[in-house]
Amino acid sequence: MIYAFLNQKGGVGKTTLSIHTAAELALRGRRVLLIDADPQGSALAWSNCRETVDFTVVGMPKATIHKEIEMLAGDYDDVVIDGPPRVTELARSIILAADLVVVPLQPSQMDVWAASETIDLVREANVYKPDIGVCLVINRKIANTAIGRDVRTALKELGVPVLKSDIGQRVAFAETASTGSTVLPKRHSKASKEVKKLVNELRRLR
């Protein structure tokens, strides 16, 4: 299974969710490859700080991923791709490589607009590869706020599935970025439970 985390807007948490999805899949005994396809290389930088190597991370910010994905994925059960912001040939290549495009967004109108652009790219790619799936995941949600509730109403207009598994705005996620760790060792924490629910839902989609 090939999951691609994409949004044309930066700062929505693509890398955090990519890393945690890969880590959770690895904890379940899956052989996982995480491809850092963002020229900023944030996932690769995180990997260089890791103490525990439970899945493979490679950097590949090249617009040929869709041509090379079969060779890259050969030894793995799952591939997770951390994509770049902005509409680029690289983003289009990632979409063509993916089985499921996951669009993270924060609960704001600007993020909804950016998500719409990404969905349009997936629909363009469906002409060449009709079975590419797409879904939305709300990230960095602040609990018990009106905007956190109202964003789901706005997202209905985009006509694609919105995951029920929201990811909250939590310091724990930010703290893992510079330490090469994840929130998952604390299996009973709210952050860890959110990631587990997210991955459960992603796996049910395909």
Side-chain angles (χ1 to χ4, degrees):
M1 182 68 179
I2 303 170
Y3 305 91
F5 286 80
L6 275 175
N7 192 321
Q8 302 313 309
K9 184 175 180 293
V12 296
K14 293 186 297 294
T15 299
T16 297
L17 294 186
S18 296
I19 289 170
H20 279 82
T21 297
E24 175 62 22
L25 288 168
L27 278 174
R28 300 182 186 197
R30 309 283 289 176
R31 295 169 300 166
V32 182
L33 172 65
L34 172 58
I35 299 176
D36 186 347
D38 187 340
Q40 291 183 352
S42 299
L44 205 55
W46 171 89
S47 178
N48 290 336
C49 300
R50 279 192 298 177
E51 293 182 1
T52 303
V53 180
D54 45 2
F55 58 91
T56 304
V57 182
V58 299
M60 193 178 177
K62 295 165 38 179
T64 55
I65 289 178
H66 66 294
K67 298 177 181 178
E68 301 179 45
I69 193 65
E70 187 173 344
M71 178 184 67
L72 291 167
D75 294 329
Y76 299 94
D77 299 313
D78 297 303
V79 177
V80 179
I81 306 175
D82 180 21
R86 298 178 298 279
V87 178
T88 63
E89 290 307 310
L90 174 54
R92 290 184 171 91
S93 178
I94 291 167
I95 291 169
L96 286 171
D99 296 313
L100 179 65
V101 176
V102 186
V103 185
L105 71 157
Q106 298 178 101
S108 76
Q109 186 58 55
M110 285 188 291
D111 281 51
V112 173
W113 291 331
S116 177
E117 293 178 14
T118 306
I119 291 167
D120 287 344
L121 285 180
V122 176
R123 286 172 175 156
E124 289 175 13
N126 282 147
V127 174
Y128 306 99
K129 187 179 174 183
D131 58 346
I132 304 170
V134 60
C135 67
L136 301 161
V137 57
I138 299 172
N139 190 33
R140 296 177 180 162
K141 179 181 177 181
I142 301 174
N144 302 318
T145 60
I147 192 169
R149 295 188 299 270
D150 294 346
V151 69
R152 286 189 171 274
T153 302
L155 291 175
K156 287 180 181 178
E157 298 178 5
L158 300 182
V160 300
V162 183
L163 300 189
K164 296 177 182 178
S165 311
D166 297 342
I167 303 295
Q169 173 76 295
R170 304 192 187 283
V171 174
F173 287 110
E175 289 176 341
T176 64
S178 61
T179 59
S181 60
T182 69
V183 301
L184 299 177
K186 298 180 179 179
R187 297 299 281 174
H188 300 293
S189 72
K190 289 182 178 180
S192 181
K193 288 178 180 178
E194 287 174 349
V195 172
K196 183 176 180 179
K197 288 179 180 178
L198 171 67
V199 173
N200 285 344
E201 199 168 355
L202 288 176
R203 295 196 70 187
R204 286 196 298 267
L205 282 179
R206 301 293 287 181

